[in-house]
């Protein structure tokens, strides 16, 4: 304001009345009113009432005003410039206050090198950190709140994911038992409210080889109650599926002392769903608002399946009679002559009274968001529920999940680490029932996760022994795990602490020494086989031991796990944390995703070679069959994949890694590989595991090695060929770069 006059769109003007009042008149136009216009045109009768006269001023005052305003503006600009460009000390680390107002690219390009990052992770993951955690609890709700509060205390964005699923629970009023000639009390995890009777048969482990031997010995299986001993070689679900295909009425499974050195009264827990997730919503999520007609998974057994104790199994085996079993069928039950049973054995009646209950489950998540590509993320997950103590099954994994979240969060908030991409930490519920919580999340957010969640790392069962390191993974992650093992010190060998994990297997074939096929019961399996997300699980195991014997029993506690790990549980858990942590950090740190598309070529080539050999044999047998079963087109599709992989690597070598858009495009192509190996020709509802290599069903390459119907084989061959060709086209780049010459 100059000379008590305001210069704006609002003009103060005396109204000329006696009280000397004034009012505000709003100008409705930017048009200039002539100061020398006749009075009747402005405010006088006959003139326009919309305009009021401006204060009288001369041109000299206007010039002074303009110059003063310009002078003040220049002074203000200079003060602001100097204040924002004054020198300041270079901070040692970037805290949250220093980040405010900094451009995104400047924040993302962290000054920390990869060696700095791995050193910080090693400093924050120590054996003492794991010793501070108490044993896990079967109270899922209590643990849920603890995990959620832990994520919030780390200043992570935390949330829960709710599903309504059907789970079997024990009937508090009626026991499950067998009766008639025998009276047995058995644990509760079979089909609900079923009672049946049949001749008893002993079938060893229920493997395909065992069942073929029973058929060779003319042991009738149809309508019988078959007794099997548990094994670490195949899952309970696979055992039940094998014998159900031969028409048995019920399956009883026990822990034989020859395989498990337990008390005869030790109970066995597990599930027999040959699949994952809620078996009553196959292929779609169990959200509260979804309404689907009654349906059930094709992997749910149609026969009754129940576990019993070794003491109960002994009562059955002493009374079933029949042929004496082969030597390979012999167990170590006291005073038991292992016979095969059959028509001459006594009847066994099995009654199951479990309850199918609608249950609300909660998955818990926390996220550390990336600074460049926050919409792309690595997921690290662990189940938190367990039947019994579940120390190896759930406690170690959940503890590791929380410790990794704490370590990475502190690296971001305190040490200046700036991940390019996000890390999601997931605590799953209902894992004991067959990865129910994680599978329902995958089904519920399948479209959201597509090309966003680019890797899943499972923390379940990472420590079950000492002496060896084993892993199951997508071939895309083989190279990354190999390089990680070269950087992580070996926590499993006495006197070898300065050597790396890789040194343990150096000099031999790395893949053969470390990797195992991923089984359906693996927590990472649904991510890979159902959702097409490159996945990895790993474990420290006892040398020469096939499996941790206490899984699925009340003996999976801290003492037994301590004995299995030679009382080095904390050191092994720290080593597992460093492996998982460095895998995840490398994936969110580098400009280009460390997913090696070349490693898939070897695995695909091995399968295609076997298929080609098999089809040649079929063609020789059926020389006059007009059906063409040549693998020529499949081989050409493999060639398309190989060329696309080579071209991508060549392009990568010639890419400027500081070009954010170029890196983003290459990463986008890499992320298409796994997802596009899911067959588009089968329904997720009928065939949930759609992966061409790791799935289950007629669409897989493995099915081409087993089928007998030549017309069906021809169709399978064509669909598998186009699945592989589609994968090659998807990551080859633009549509004009696609190699579709088959």
């Amino acid at each position: 304001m100059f000379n008590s006059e305001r210069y704006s769109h609002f003009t103060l003007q005396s109204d000329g009345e006696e009280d000397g009042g004034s009012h505000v008149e709003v100008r409705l136009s930017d048009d200039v009113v002539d100061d020398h216009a006749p009075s009747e045109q402005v405010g006088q009768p006959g003139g326009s009432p919309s305009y009021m006269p401006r204060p009288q001023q001369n041109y000299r005052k206007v010039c002074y005003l303009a110059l003063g305003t310009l002078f003040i503006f220049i002074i203000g600009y200079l003060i602001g410039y100097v204040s924002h460009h004054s020198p300041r000390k270079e901070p040692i680390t970037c805290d949250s206050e220093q980040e405010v107002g900094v451009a995104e690219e400047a924040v993302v390009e962290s000054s920390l090198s990869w060696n700095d990052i791995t050193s910080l992770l090693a400093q924050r993951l120590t054996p003492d950190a794991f010793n501070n955690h108490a044993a896990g609890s079967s109270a899922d709700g209590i643990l849920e709140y603890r995990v959620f509060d832990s994520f919030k205390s780390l200043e992570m964005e935390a949330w829960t994911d709710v599903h309504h699923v059907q789970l079997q629970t024990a009937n508090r009023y009626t026991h499950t038992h067998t009766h008639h000639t025998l009276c047995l009390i058995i644990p509760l995890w079979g089909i609900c409210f079923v009672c049946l009777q049949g001749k008893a048969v002993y079938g060893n482990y229920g493997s395909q080889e065992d069942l073929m031997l029973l058929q060779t010995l003319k042991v009738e299986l149809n309508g019988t109650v078959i007794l099997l001993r548990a094994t670490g070689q195949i899952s309970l679900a696979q055992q039940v599926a094998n014998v159900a295909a031969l028409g048995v009425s019920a399956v009883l499974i026990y822990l034989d002392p020859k395989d498990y050195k337990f008390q005869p009264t030790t109970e066995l827990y597990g599930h027999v769903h040959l699949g994952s997730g809620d078996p009553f919503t196959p292929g779609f999520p169990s959200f509260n608002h979804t309404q689907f007609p009654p349906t059930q998974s094709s992997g749910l057994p149609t026969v009754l399946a129940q576990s019993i104790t070794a003491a109960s199994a002994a009562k059955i085996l002493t009374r079933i009679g029949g042929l004496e079993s082969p030597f390979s069928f012999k167990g170590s039950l006291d005073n038991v002559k292992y016979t095969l049973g059959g028509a001459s054995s006594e009847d066994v009646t099995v009654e199951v009274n479990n309850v199918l209950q609608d249950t609300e489950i909660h998955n818990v998540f926390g996220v550390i968001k990336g600074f460049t590509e926050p919409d792309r993320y690595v997921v690290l997950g662990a189940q938190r529920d367990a039947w019994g103590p579940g120390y190896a099954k759930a406690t170690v994994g959940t503890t590791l999940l929380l410790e990794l979240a704490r370590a990475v969060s502190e690296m971001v908030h305190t040490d200046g680490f700036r991940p390019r991409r996000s890390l999601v930490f997931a605590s799953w519920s209902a894992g004991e029932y067959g990865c129910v919580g994680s599978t329902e999340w995958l089904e519920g957010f399948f479209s959201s996760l597509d090309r966003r969640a680019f890797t899943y790392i499972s923390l379940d069962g990472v420590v079950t022994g000492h002496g060896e390191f084993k892993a199951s993974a997508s071939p895309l992650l083989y190279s990354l795990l190999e390089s990680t093992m070269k950087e992580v010190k070996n926590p499993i060998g006495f006197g070898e602490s300065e050597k790396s994990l890789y040194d343990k297997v150096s000099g031999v074939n790395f893949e053969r020494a470390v990797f195992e096929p991923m089984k359906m019961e693996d927590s990472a399996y649904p991510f890979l086989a159902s959702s097409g997300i490159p996945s990895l699980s790993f474990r420290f195991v006892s040398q020469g031991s096939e499996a941790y014997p206490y899984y699925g029993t009340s003996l999976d506690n801290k003492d037994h796990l301590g004995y299995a790990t030679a009382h080095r549980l904390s050191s092994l858990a720290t080593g597992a944390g460093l492996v998982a942590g460095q895998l995840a950090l490398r994936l969110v740190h580098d400009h280009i995703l460390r997913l090696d598309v070349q490693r898939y070529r070897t695995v695909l080539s091995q399968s295609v070679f076997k298929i080609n050999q098999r089809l040649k044999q079929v063609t020789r047998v059926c020389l006059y069959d007009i059906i063409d079963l040549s693998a020529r087109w499949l081989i050409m599709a493999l060639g398309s994949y190989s060329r696309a992989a080579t071209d991508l690597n060549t392009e990568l070598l010639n890419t400027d890694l500081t070009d954010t858009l170029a890196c983003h495009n290459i990463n986008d192509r890499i992320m298409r590989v796994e997802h596009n190996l899911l067959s588009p020709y089968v329904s997720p509802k009928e065939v949930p595991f759609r992966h061409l290599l790791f799935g289950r069903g007629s669409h897989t390459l493995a099915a081409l090695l087993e089928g007998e119907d030549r017309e069906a084989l021809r169709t399978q061959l064509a669909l598998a060929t186009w699945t592989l060709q589609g994968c090659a086209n998807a990551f080859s780049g633009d549509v004009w770069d696609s190699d579709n010459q088959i």
Side-chain angles (χ1 to χ4, degrees), residues 65-77:
L65 175 64
L67 290 173
T69 303
L70 180 60
F71 178 78
I72 292 173
F73 175 80
I74 292 173
I75 293 299
Y77 176 83

Side-chain angles (χ1 to χ4, degrees), residues 619-652:
T619 304
R620 282 196 296 268
V621 172
C622 307
L623 185 61
Y624 301 103
D625 201 317
I626 61 173
I627 297 177
D628 180 14
L629 286 176
S630 171
R632 180 163 60 101
W633 305 114
L634 183 62
I635 294 171
M636 293 181 68
L638 175 62
S640 295
Y641 181 94
S642 299
R643 286 188 293 276
T646 300
D647 292 344
L648 182 63
N649 278 0
T650 301
E651 186 174 340
L652 177 58

Side-chain angles (χ1 to χ4, degrees), residues 76-146:
Y77 176 83
L78 291 175
I79 292 173
Y81 180 87
V82 172
S83 64
H84 283 79
H85 288 75
S86 58
R88 57 183 177 181
K89 294 182 180 180
E90 186 68 16
I92 297 175
T93 59
C94 298
D95 58 31
S96 58
E97 294 180 357
Q98 292 167 335
E99 292 169 14
V100 177
V102 181
E104 181 181 67
E105 286 299 321
V107 174
V108 172
E109 296 300 332
S110 171
S111 60
L112 297 178
S113 67
W114 176 244
N115 288 335
D116 294 333
I117 293 171
T118 55
S119 296
L120 287 171
L121 181 65
Q123 291 171 17
R124 297 189 178 282
L125 283 181
T126 64
D128 291 338
F130 293 93
N131 288 329
N132 292 332
H133 286 266
S137 169
S138 59
D140 185 59
I142 297 174
L143 278 177
E144 173 198 339
Y145 288 111
R146 287 178 57 188

Side-chain angles (χ1 to χ4, degrees), residues 123 140 146 254 306 318 343 374 391 450 509 550:
Q123 291 171 17
D140 185 59
R146 287 178 57 188
Y254 76 101
Q306 190 70 45
T318 55
Y391 206 85
D450 181 26
N509 184 289
Y550 305 105

Side-chain angles (χ1 to χ4, degrees), residues 351-603:
E351 181 180 339
V352 176
N353 295 294
N354 291 348
V355 178
L356 190 63
Q357 185 174 0
D358 290 331
T359 307
E360 182 178 291
I361 63 172
H362 294 230
N363 299 319
V364 183
F365 301 89
V367 61
I368 297 175
K369 291 185 178 180
F371 288 77
T372 300
E373 301 173 282
D375 59 335
R376 291 182 171 179
Y377 31 85
V378 172
V379 182
L380 299 98
Q383 76 173 57
R384 65 174 182 273
D385 65 305
W387 285 316
Y391 206 85
K393 191 119 185 197
T395 301
V396 173
T398 300
T399 299
L400 191 57
L401 182 77
L402 296 177
E403 282 301 307
L404 281 170
R406 178 194 58 79
V408 179
S409 179
E410 290 177 356
M411 288 169 63
V412 171
H413 290 103
T414 305
D415 302 318
F417 174 51
R418 299 292 178 265
R420 301 182 65 83
R421 303 170 194 93
S422 300
L423 296 101
V424 175
F425 298 86
S427 174
W428 308 116
S429 182
E432 287 284 61
Y433 293 86
C435 302
V436 173
S438 58
T439 301
E440 295 308 311
W441 182 68
L442 289 171
E443 291 173 346
F445 299 96
F446 180 78
S447 58
S448 301
L449 297 172
D450 181 26
R451 298 187 182 90
R452 293 189 177 185
F454 57 86
T455 298
Y456 178 71
I457 300 173
S458 172
L459 302 177
D460 291 331
V462 291
V463 179
T464 60
H466 74 285
E468 289 188 353
F469 182 91
K470 295 294 182 180
S472 302
S474 161
L476 292 175
L477 291 162
Y478 284 5
S479 297
L480 179 58
L481 181 62
E482 185 175 0
S483 63
T484 300
M485 289 179 63
K486 292 178 179 178
E487 296 178 347
V488 176
K489 291 183 179 180
N490 178 22
I492 59 180
F494 294 99
E496 299 179 353
S497 59
E498 295 305 317
K499 294 184 178 181
S500 71
L501 276 175
Y502 185 82
D503 291 333
K504 192 76 175 178
V505 295
S506 62
V508 298
N509 184 289
F510 173 74
E511 292 183 19
R512 191 175 304 166
V514 172
F515 288 102
E516 300 174 328
M518 188 176 290
K519 299 178 181 179
M520 184 180 293
E521 57 268 26
D522 195 311
S523 301
Y525 186 78
F527 289 82
L528 178 61
S530 294
S531 298
I533 298 173
S535 304
L536 177 141
S537 63
F538 65 92
R539 63 208 68 88
F540 290 107
V541 299
S542 295
Q543 196 161 7
S545 177
E546 296 177 350
Y548 178 66
Y550 305 105
Y551 265 153
T553 72
S554 59
L555 302 177
D556 181 14
N557 54 40
K558 187 175 183 179
D559 290 338
H560 282 116
L561 185 57
Y563 177 79
T565 58
H567 306 289
R568 303 181 69 212
L569 175 58
S570 296
S571 297
L572 288 162
T574 303
L578 292 174
V579 172
Q582 289 195 197
L583 285 168
L585 293 179
R586 180 61 94 174
L587 286 165
V588 301
H589 171 265
D590 290 358
H591 289 78
I592 299 295
L593 294 177
R594 289 294 188 98
L595 301 176
D596 189 353
V597 297
Q598 293 281 10
R599 296 298 276 262
Y600 242 127
R601 179 165 58 183
T602 303
V603 179

Side-chain angles (χ1 to χ4, degrees), residues 292-335:
F292 290 97
T295 185
Q296 68 180 40
S297 168
S298 58
L300 202 62
T302 56
V303 301
L304 180 126
Q306 190 70 45
S307 66
I308 62 175
T309 64
S312 297
K315 294 180 181 180
I316 297 177
L317 285 168
T318 55
R319 302 179 65 173
I320 65 173
L323 296 173
E324 185 174 351
S325 65
F327 179 77
S328 60
F329 280 42
K330 300 287 187 180
S332 298
L333 286 170
D334 293 335
N335 302 318

